[in-house]
Amino acid sequence: MSVDIQESIYSELQRLCQSGQLKTSNITADYFTKKLGIARNTASHYLNQLVQNGKAVKVNSRPVCFFDKQAIDSQLNINSNPEYDSISDLFANEKVEKDIFNQVIGARESLFIQIKQLKAAARYPGVGLPILLTGPTGSGKSYLAKVYYEYSVKMGFLDSSSKFVHLNCAEYADNPELLASILFGYRAGAFTGATDNKSGLFDEADNGMLFLDEVHRLGAKGQEKLFEYLDNGTVSPLGETKMGHKVSVRLIFATTEDIGSTFLQTFIRRIPVQVKIPSLNSRSPFERESLAKLFFLRQSKSIKKKIILTNQVLAAITSHTYESNVGQLKNDITLTVANALGKTNRDDYDNQIAIYVSDLPNSVWQSGGEGQRIRLTGDKSQITISKDMSINQLLSGETAESNPIMLAFKNVIKTYHTYGMTDEFVENATVIINTLCDELVYNKTITRGEVPLKLFQRLFQVKINNIETDDDVEFSGNTVIVLAYFSYYRQFAYWVLDAESHDTLTTISNRMMINFPRTSGFADEILELIQDSLSLKNDVVDRLFLQLYLRSVVKVVHPNQIRCIVLAHGYSTASSIATVVNKMLGGKGVVDFVDMPLSNGPEEIGQEVTNYINRNSISAGLILMVDMGSLNDIYRYLHTSIDFPIGVISNVSTQSALMVGERILKHDELQNIVKDVQKEIKIDSKVIYPEKNKKNLVITCCNTGIGTAKQIKKLLDNSIPDDLNIVVNAYDYALLQSPEQISTLAHTFNILTVVGTVDPQIKDVSFIPLEKLILGEDTESFAKALTPVASSEEVGKLVDTILHNFTIERVINSLTILDAHAVMKSIDVALNYYVEVAGEKLNNRTRMALYVHVSCLIERLIRNEPITTYEWEEGYDTKLVSDLEKAFSVIETQYSVKIPKSEMGYIYDIVHGNQ
């Protein structure tokens, strides 16, 4: 009930502040007492809560007044404080917008570069630089020319008394002599009928601006006549016998024609600033919608009535193809309003009119195509346009409350200001982004979009598949859906970033590129796809969203899968073999290839393989399948350090490559693959191991998958100094059960120790449980394991760093996207319930292990990616399982998930193993 009251107060506060008459508004707690029939202290309480939440502004006048913060910021062009002492203090901060270009729709999007050019021309000393606007009819060239003049006046480049003189040259195209006389003036007797001296438009525009529209209709002689002014700032009236006279005129031209075929090159060379204006159809959905709202607002002011239209109508009119550009859109909206006015028997005609799809011109609402039909079945929610509103108010109607993407990124910025570019920021920002994704997908807020949702899904499915194949990664199952929904919603949930927010988000994005180059590279690939395939613009919001989201959904990285390259001479020999093999293996990109010119020798081929190694993470080994025996020693030409085994198989064929690929997918050992292929197909092969100066290895593992092991690796990477000769690698627990795998690792590394959630029991290698590191109980074992490769001082510092990095909250935050504090609280409830049900206590080590394991379990279940296999031993403790199921039912209730029997098995192992 309290939430309903607060929402009602806020909704009414927003409505009251829409009128634009803020200075005369008197919105007090008493107003809401009468309006909503609630106690005055209740109204005051919720109004003050809105102030605390940043949604309202409080003025401590008598009586105390309240305003909608969004309306205040928009109408006064300020970032308001929560409270002011008086109304005059509040409005004393009102800023007058000096840069009138900021009012132009598209100023930060499709017209960003164009406006930058215009500003540069305006700032140039003297009379600025002459400008030529190009673009199709109705694209807004005349409007931009007028804004350019107003900008020049606002900035002081022109005096406020200066004139803006406009001439459409097309009106005089058939009479070039008359056109010249209008421009430059004439002297008596210059031609028949010239009885008096008459000044021209250059003289009228002196100390101001002259705009020549359709300037291509100015013939060659007219263009040559302009040279005099462009070269030395003088004009000569027709019939003038003396030297021309000086004028000070800023020139701006416009044309719809091709510059190269219409103008003299000598004329074009004298116009250094050429600004291309895009057509309406090429502008973004956000801009077209904004223009439509602007024209509806002008109609509201013209007819002096409130206009109510649905998003369905807006989507239809802005998705229509306009051959005559902005002018046609404007005319269609005028006709739409006229059609609605003609139906006087509906609505509250005296004060408002409603626009329906049937009011649209036939050319709009009856236009065919599946896309149009989709749009006409879309959003029927209403937009109210009042004659008292400003365009800023109207366009800012997409507030943070109605635009979840805007709200999310405001929170990202706030989080950045709190933490700076730290791990805490990245983790918190990732939570914000994942919460946004849930809202977009599950709350079904999307109702319209120019590009259909299914098209986004198809595009992203192909792209994600390619990235997974090419880069050996896997994304969570709903990645394609999330990317599609985000991009679909962004078509209309676009907003203009203020300069400060833009700079902050750009700083974050650039740091993300440095800290997470791989996933940032994926983000840039996807942005390029959107731009190239759909011609949809994107900005730093889109890039940072992808950087944060993709980082959180990379499920599996395969640094430990054996890599295989087919090396063959010929235009497509290697690629043909690899393509066939990968297709036969179910589309998995197991086999890579390098096609080589016949002239390439071992040195060039060695460089190709070196580049491949440097691009990819290889630790389990590399198999080179070559087409001739002369390449058997290709490994000698590698220009990089090798700390993994290399298998070389000669006389490559589709059969041998398929056999290798199948064995790689079965996670067989490299030396066994090479030996068995040699035996089966009777070909030459060898295995080369790294030099004896091997790197030292710390293994991380987890019996529930490599994802957790990778996160433990990351924590250790951040703890171990770079100057120590130590590599930390994550391995699948099942692989570590294989003696052959351990033998291969022993050939490549000195194995120092294993850190993880379960002991793989590698002979002569110590195991350090993760939970002991968290408790600080086994740092001595870790220090002992590192003694052969680090001094006692280095080991001491390393142990201190581990104690700092391996706190329970840091570990959980690194393992999952869940809030560590909240998830630990839920697990505590479950563990206390278990103690109550089972009648026995859990030691600290067991509790730590469960904190780590169950937090990952919860995320798996939320993502609908549970572990589905577990081998129950005969005679397992059924009572213990029953007690655990009862205890952890509180987790199921808290997170609305069901813990399957397979997942319960791993919880059973942790508790049973520590009893």
Side-chain angles (χ1 to χ4, degrees):
M1 180 64 180
S2 61
V3 174
D4 293 339
I5 294 174
Q6 184 171 357
E7 288 180 352
S8 297
I9 290 175
Y10 183 50
S11 178
E12 180 67 9
L13 184 65
Q14 287 181 302
R15 187 190 70 79
L16 292 170
C17 292
Q18 280 183 352
S19 67
Q21 306 299 320
L22 291 176
K23 289 185 180 180
T24 58
S25 298
N26 188 28
I27 309 170
T28 66
D30 286 335
Y31 171 84
F32 293 100
T33 298
K34 297 171 184 175
K35 176 72 176 179
L36 302 178
I38 58 179
R40 188 185 183 284
N41 62 343
T42 301
S44 180
H45 169 73
Y46 287 120
L47 284 165
N48 281 289
Q49 270 199 348
L50 290 173
V51 174
Q52 293 172 11
N53 294 336
K55 293 183 177 182
V57 173
K58 180 179 181 181
V59 178
N60 293 307
S61 54
R62 290 182 180 274
V64 175
C65 295
F66 296 87
F67 298 90
D68 172 34
K69 187 179 189 304
Q70 176 75 24
I72 286 288
D73 290 358
S74 173
Q75 294 182 47
L76 304 189
N77 190 30
I78 63 172
N79 182 15
S80 56
N81 298 324
E83 294 190 38
Y84 292 88
D85 291 333
S86 66
I87 294 290
S88 59
D89 285 346
L90 171 59
F91 288 94
N93 292 286
E94 183 174 4
K95 293 180 182 177
V96 177
E97 181 61 69
K98 196 170 185 179
D99 187 352
I100 194 169
F101 276 121
N102 287 340
Q103 305 296 318
V104 175
I105 292 169
R108 285 189 175 273
E109 199 177 349
S110 69
L111 296 177
F112 180 80
I113 298 299
Q114 291 85 336
I115 288 175
K116 192 174 180 180
Q117 289 176 288
L118 291 171
K119 288 180 177 180
R123 286 194 300 268
Y124 196 81
V127 293
L129 293 173
I131 298 165
L132 177 61
L133 303 176
T134 65
T137 300
S139 55
K141 298 185 295 298
S142 297
Y143 168 70
L144 267 184
K146 188 64 185 295
V147 175
Y148 173 65
Y149 161 74
E150 293 174 1
Y151 173 80
S152 298
V153 172
K154 287 273 189 184
M155 298 301 293
F157 302 130
L158 288 175
D159 189 78
S160 59
S161 62
S162 66
K163 288 186 177 181
F164 177 77
V165 180
H166 178 193
L167 175 69
N168 190 332
C169 298
E171 297 176 11
Y172 304 95
D174 295 332
N175 195 335
E177 189 174 70
L178 176 58
L179 178 55
S181 69
I182 291 172
L183 281 173
F184 305 105
Y186 55 85
R187 295 289 179 255
F191 51 85
T192 303
T195 57
D196 299 305
N197 292 338
K198 186 172 178 62
S199 59
L201 294 183
F202 268 93
D203 293 301
E204 185 180 346
D206 194 13
N207 295 315
M209 187 175 293
L210 176 60
F211 172 43
L212 299 183
D213 200 2
E214 304 289 351
V215 71
H216 59 275
R217 304 304 290 269
L218 190 65
K221 288 185 178 180
Q223 293 177 39
E224 290 173 353
K225 188 77 174 168
L226 282 174
F227 291 172
E228 185 179 6
Y229 177 74
L230 293 171
D231 289 340
N232 54 42
T234 62
V235 294
S236 297
L238 298 184
E240 177 69 74
T241 57
K242 302 176 184 178
M243 291 288 291
H245 59 279
K246 288 277 187 180
V247 290
S248 178
V249 177
R250 288 177 175 252
L251 284 178
I252 182 165
F253 309 104
T255 182
T256 58
E257 301 299 307
D258 176 61
I259 294 175
S261 60
T262 309
F263 296 95
L264 297 174
Q265 286 303 308
T266 49
F267 176 69
I268 292 300
R269 283 199 298 270
R270 287 172 167 85
I271 307 177
V273 182
Q274 297 170 19
V275 180
K276 186 175 182 180
I277 310 302
S279 67
L280 175 64
N281 297 324
S282 66
R283 295 175 73 169
S284 71
F286 174 79
E287 288 185 38
R288 294 202 298 274
E289 182 173 296
S290 298
L291 285 166
K293 287 180 177 178
L294 171 63
F295 296 143
F296 274 117
L297 177 60
R298 289 178 180 174
Q299 286 295 312
S300 175
K301 293 179 185 297
S302 177
I303 64 175
K304 295 180 173 55
K305 297 181 189 298
K306 187 182 293 183
I307 292 177
I308 299 172
L309 65 153
T310 62
N311 274 316
Q312 180 189 52
V313 170
L314 196 60
I317 203 165
T318 55
S319 60
H320 180 61
T321 299
Y322 292 94
E323 299 301 329
S324 297
N325 290 292
V326 178
Q328 186 182 345
L329 171 64
K330 182 179 179 181
N331 290 339
D332 281 351
I333 288 174
T334 301
L335 181 56
T336 298
V337 173
N339 288 339
L341 283 170
K343 301 172 182 177
T344 57
N345 61 335
R346 70 183 192 200
D347 309 316
D348 182 6
Y349 181 75
D350 290 337
N351 299 310
Q352 65 184 40
I353 62 167
I355 307 292
Y356 300 102
V357 170
S358 59
D359 295 321
L360 296 170
N362 290 343
S363 60
V364 174
W365 79 273
Q366 289 185 349
S367 57
E370 180 183 354
Q372 184 68 48
R373 289 195 295 275
I374 290 172
R375 295 181 188 100
L376 290 181
T377 59
D379 186 4
K380 295 181 176 63
S381 60
Q382 292 184 334
I383 298 172
T384 300
I385 300 176
S386 168
K387 62 183 185 297
D388 298 320
M389 294 174 72
S390 67
I391 185 61
N392 279 347
Q393 285 177 271
L394 186 56
L395 297 186
S396 65
E398 189 83 6
T399 62
E401 286 69 36
S402 62
N403 182 344
I405 299 176
M406 182 193 297
L407 179 60
F409 276 87
K410 284 186 175 183
N411 287 336
V412 167
I413 291 171
K414 184 178 179 181
T415 304
Y416 175 74
H417 289 320
T418 301
Y419 293 104
M421 197 62 199
T422 60
D423 290 343
E424 286 85 352
F425 161 73
V426 174
E427 297 306 323
N428 280 283
T430 302
V431 171
I432 292 170
I433 293 303
N434 279 283
T435 302
L436 167 67
C437 295
D438 289 344
E439 184 172 356
L440 294 180
V441 175
Y442 298 113
N443 289 359
K444 308 296 182 186
T445 55
I446 304 171
T447 53
R448 65 195 193 279
E450 182 187 21
V451 180
L453 179 63
K454 288 185 178 179
L455 177 56
F456 277 120
Q457 287 179 290
R458 289 197 297 270
L459 280 172
F460 289 138
Q461 186 66 68
V462 172
K463 188 63 181 177
I464 291 299
N465 287 346
N466 289 341
I467 291 175
E468 288 181 327
T469 299
D470 295 342
D471 294 271
D472 261 354
V473 298
E474 291 181 21
F475 296 97
S476 67
N478 60 358
T479 298
V480 170
I481 294 173
V482 168
L483 295 182
Y485 269 81
F486 175 81
S487 299
Y488 185 36
Y489 191 81
R490 271 289 276 171
Q491 294 176 92
F492 279 87
Y494 187 95
W495 75 100
V496 177
L497 289 167
D498 60 79
E500 183 180 354
S501 297
H502 184 275
D503 291 345
T504 301
L505 294 177
T506 300
T507 298
I508 297 171
S509 179
N510 291 341
R511 289 292 301 276
M512 290 289 292
M513 185 67 194
I514 295 170
N515 295 345
F516 307 100
R518 202 174 194 205
T519 47
S520 293
F522 300 157
D524 288 342
E525 285 186 48
I526 291 171
L527 290 178
E528 186 178 354
L529 170 74
I530 295 171
Q531 175 68 48
D532 294 346
S533 299
L534 303 174
S535 297
L536 293 178
K537 295 184 183 297
N538 48 67
D539 62 18
V540 67
V541 168
D542 304 273
R543 187 174 192 241
L544 186 53
F545 168 83
L546 289 169
Q547 288 173 309
L548 289 167
Y549 175 71
L550 293 177
R551 175 190 163 275
S552 72
V553 295
V554 174
K555 270 177 53 183
V556 180
V557 181
H558 301 288
N560 306 307
Q561 179 171 294
I562 295 170
R563 310 299 292 255
C564 174
I565 317 176
V566 175
L567 299 163
H569 290 87
Y571 178 72
S572 61
T573 306
S575 56
S576 297
I577 292 173
T579 300
V580 170
V581 170
N582 287 331
K583 188 173 183 180
M584 294 177 72
L585 294 176
K588 300 182 182 298
V590 180
V591 178
D592 294 316
F593 63 89
V594 176
D595 288 314
M596 303 173 296
L598 293 172
S599 58
N600 273 18
E603 183 64 37
E604 292 91 344
I605 299 169
Q607 187 59 56
E608 288 283 354
V609 178
T610 299
N611 294 340
Y612 178 88
I613 292 171
N614 291 336
R615 286 196 309 267
N616 294 277
S617 174
I618 303 174
S619 60
L622 174 65
I623 295 178
L624 302 176
M625 305 194 72
V626 300
D627 63 344
M628 56 182 67
S630 62
L631 296 180
N632 282 356
D633 292 333
I634 190 64
Y635 64 92
R636 300 185 185 278
Y637 296 90
L638 301 181
H639 308 294
T640 186
S641 60
I642 303 299
D643 55 9
F644 50 83
I646 297 178
V648 182
I649 299 174
S650 63
N651 299 319
V652 62
S653 64
T654 302
Q655 179 189 5
S656 61
L658 179 61
M659 185 175 178
V660 169
E662 289 173 335
R663 297 288 293 274
I664 288 174
L665 290 178
K666 291 178 181 177
H667 302 294
D668 284 347
E669 304 308 317
L670 183 142
Q671 61 265 40
N672 291 341
I673 296 174
V674 174
K675 181 178 68 176
D676 291 350
V677 171
Q678 179 185 25
K679 182 178 178 181
E680 182 78 19
I681 306 182
K682 311 296 183 187
I683 55 178
D684 293 334
S685 67
K686 65 175 71 173
V687 176
I688 300 94
Y689 293 101
E691 298 297 328
K692 290 188 176 180
N693 185 19
K694 298 182 289 187
K695 288 188 176 181
N696 302 293
L697 175 66
V698 173
I699 293 173
T700 64
C701 69
C702 177
N703 60 342
T704 59
I706 197 169
T708 302
K710 279 181 68 274
Q711 297 303 326
I712 301 172
K713 162 184 160 54
K714 183 178 176 182
L715 283 168
L716 286 173
D717 281 336
N718 291 335
S719 303
I720 298 174
D722 294 336
D723 55 354
L724 288 182
N725 183 32
I726 297 175
V727 175
V728 183
N729 278 337
Y731 292 91
D732 189 286
Y733 176 75
L735 288 181
L736 297 178
Q737 304 301 295
S738 162
E740 290 84 1
Q741 172 69 22
I742 300 304
S743 174
T744 299
L745 288 175
H747 272 295
T748 309
F749 299 102
N750 294 316
I751 305 175
L752 300 176
T753 189
V754 179
V755 177
T757 59
V758 64
D759 187 357
Q761 298 184 336
I762 300 174
K763 186 178 180 181
D764 298 326
V765 177
S766 63
F767 170 70
I768 302 171
L770 176 62
E771 60 270 20
K772 280 199 171 186
L773 281 185
I774 294 171
L775 290 167
E777 292 180 354
D778 226 357
T779 53
E780 289 184 6
S781 298
F782 195 75
K784 183 180 179 181
L786 301 186
T787 299
V789 297
S791 67
S792 58
E793 183 180 353
E794 288 173 327
V795 169
K797 289 181 179 178
L798 178 54
V799 168
D800 288 341
T801 305
I802 287 175
L803 287 173
H804 176 266
N805 287 349
F806 277 74
T807 64
I808 184 60
E809 290 206 20
R810 279 178 176 267
V811 170
I812 292 178
N813 272 327
S814 68
L815 296 181
T816 80
I817 65 169
L818 302 174
D819 177 77
H821 181 73
V823 77
M824 286 171 61
K825 190 174 180 180
S826 299
I827 296 171
D828 269 333
V829 173
L831 298 185
N832 292 338
Y833 188 24
Y834 170 78
V835 170
E836 182 183 332
V837 169
E840 63 178 34
K841 290 185 177 181
L842 295 168
N843 60 43
N844 285 342
R845 180 179 170 184
T846 303
R847 293 183 79 92
M848 289 300 107
L850 288 171
Y851 280 139
V852 172
H853 178 82
V854 177
S855 62
C856 296
L857 178 153
I858 294 169
E859 181 179 339
R860 287 196 297 272
L861 297 183
I862 290 174
R863 292 183 179 278
N864 197 25
E865 298 166 0
I867 296 172
T868 56
T869 57
Y870 176 83
E871 295 183 9
W872 290 89
E873 296 181 359
E874 291 186 14
Y876 67 86
D877 189 337
T878 55
K879 180 181 183 304
L880 175 58
V881 172
S882 175
D883 291 343
L884 290 172
E885 287 175 342
K886 291 177 184 176
F888 283 90
S889 65
V890 300
I891 296 291
E892 294 177 321
T893 302
Q894 174 74 22
Y895 290 95
S896 299
V897 295
K898 176 64 180 174
I899 302 177
K901 191 74 177 287
S902 52
E903 286 278 14
M904 191 59 69
Y906 291 98
I907 298 176
Y908 172 87
D909 283 345
I910 293 171
V911 177
H912 185 261
N914 289 284
Q915 282 184 334

